[in-house]
């Protein structure tokens, strides 16, 4: 699972604002809960999850808290993805090439390519310290790829 995979799943999901839906309860009965897309005025709501769990309509549906979590996730997931992608942009790899101080020219390999001295984190590395890329922040986010 990668950030790209999660973004693609979100983009493929039903569009619109997801909200908790309920059959509503009567006489002390709490009703059944699910998730629906909030419809524009004059149109019907579209159910994302069923309010009932069996074909007769007498199942339990979701708990109110599960319905709230599922509905909120549709808004929360893209917001979290945006933040994680911004963090990865800040912590981009920065290539440092080897410099021959005697001739003050870049060191080149047998193919004429510049020799890489190090790849550093652009956000974590400063003028006094060098932090290799991927830094701990990027490594933590990349753990999603291992799942």
């Amino acid at each position: 699972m990668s950030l790209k995979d999660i973004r693609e799943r979100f983009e493929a999901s039903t569009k619109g604002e997801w909200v908790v839906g309920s059959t509503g309860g009567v006489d002390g009965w709490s009703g059944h809960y699910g998730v629906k897309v909030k419809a524009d005025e004059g149109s019907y709501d579209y159910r994302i999850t069923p309010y009932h769990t069996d074909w007769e309509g007498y199942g339990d549906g979701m708990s109110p808290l599960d319905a709230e979590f599922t509905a909120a996730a549709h808004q929360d997931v893209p917001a979290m993805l945006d933040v994680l992608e911004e963090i990865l942009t800040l912590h981009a790899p920065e290539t440092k090439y080897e410099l021959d101080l005697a001739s003050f020219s870049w060191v080149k390999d047998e193919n004429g390519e510049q020799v890489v001295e190090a790849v550093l984190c652009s956000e974590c590395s400063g003028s006094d310290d060098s932090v290799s890329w991927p830094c701990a922040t990027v490594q933590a986010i990349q753990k999603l790829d291992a799942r």
Side-chain angles (χ1 to χ4, degrees):
M1 163 178 51
S2 68
L3 294 179
K4 181 181 178 220
D5 295 335
I6 297 168
R7 176 77 69 186
E8 287 174 356
R9 280 195 300 273
F10 169 74
E11 294 295 336
S13 69
T14 303
K15 306 297 180 238
E17 180 186 356
W18 289 20
V19 295
V20 174
S22 173
T23 57
V26 292
D27 299 327
W29 174 64
S30 63
H32 297 293
Y33 295 87
V35 177
K36 64 183 180 178
V37 172
K38 188 174 180 181
D40 295 328
E41 190 173 326
S43 59
Y44 292 100
D45 290 339
Y46 179 79
R47 290 184 182 179
I48 301 297
T49 62
Y51 300 179
H52 304 290
T53 56
D54 63 27
W55 67 273
E56 294 175 320
Y58 298 109
D60 294 334
M62 301 176 90
S63 75
L65 293 176
D66 285 345
E68 286 178 26
F69 177 81
T70 303
H74 194 259
Q75 283 74 242
D76 296 346
V77 167
M80 286 189 290
L81 287 172
D82 291 346
V83 169
L84 290 171
E85 289 166 354
E86 183 177 344
I87 291 169
L88 289 175
T89 299
L90 289 171
H91 291 264
E94 188 174 275
T95 304
K96 182 178 178 183
Y97 296 100
E98 190 173 337
L99 182 64
D100 180 355
L101 295 175
S103 64
F104 207 68
S105 61
W106 298 115
V107 176
K108 299 199 176 185
D109 64 16
E110 61 276 0
N111 297 321
E113 300 289 325
Q114 287 180 307
V115 174
V116 174
E117 184 177 317
V119 179
L120 307 175
C121 174
S122 60
E123 181 70 12
C124 296
S125 297
S127 58
D128 295 334
D129 60 340
S130 298
V131 177
S132 294
W133 190 91
C135 65
T137 302
V138 172
Q139 288 178 33
I141 294 171
Q142 288 176 336
K143 287 180 182 177
L144 285 171
D145 292 334
R147 292 178 179 226

